[in-house]
Amino acid sequence: MILSFFDAMATDAGIRMHAVREANPFAKLLYETNVFVFYSYKIILPLILLSLLRYVSKQSFIHIWIILGTITYGAVAIYHIGWMSYVMAQVRP
């Protein structure tokens, strides 16, 4: 949930600074339609997955994919921190 919110904020900031583009075509469409809808999508989807996770056994294929997705999202967050640091370093005099 935290990673998803951070992703939404970082993506929004990057788009506003013209430093990045949204790579996900569906999320891009939502962002271009309405930023509130974009944030809602980024927050509601993980909430749904979290609520469903309690019904899935820890040995199931779905549980493993959720863990892999969370690790991937963590890598995306690290990527966001990297480009944000780069952009901020370029802006400083």
Side-chain angles (χ1 to χ4, degrees):
M1 182 68 204
I2 293 168
L3 289 172
S4 186
F5 185 69
F6 175 75
D7 176 50
M9 287 182 14
T11 301
D12 185 26
I15 291 171
R16 291 175 191 267
M17 293 186 305
H18 303 285
V20 297
R21 290 176 292 179
E22 174 58 63
N24 177 337
F26 182 69
K28 180 181 178 186
L29 174 67
L30 295 177
Y31 187 87
E32 291 171 350
T33 301
N34 185 307
V35 175
F36 178 75
V37 174
F38 172 78
Y39 273 92
S40 297
Y41 161 75
K42 291 285 193 169
I43 292 169
I44 290 171
L45 190 60
L47 281 175
I48 292 169
L49 289 174
L50 275 173
S51 66
L52 294 175
L53 187 59
R54 69 179 124 174
Y55 300 108
V56 177
S57 80
K58 292 191 179 203
Q59 292 79 25
S60 77
F61 181 72
I62 294 170
H63 193 270
I64 293 167
W65 276 104
I66 290 172
I67 291 171
L68 290 174
T70 302
I71 291 168
T72 302
Y73 228 9
V76 169
I78 292 168
Y79 170 75
H80 281 314
I81 291 169
W83 71 252
M84 289 169 79
S85 299
Y86 176 77
V87 169
M88 296 305 245
Q90 298 301 315
V91 172
R92 290 187 195 151

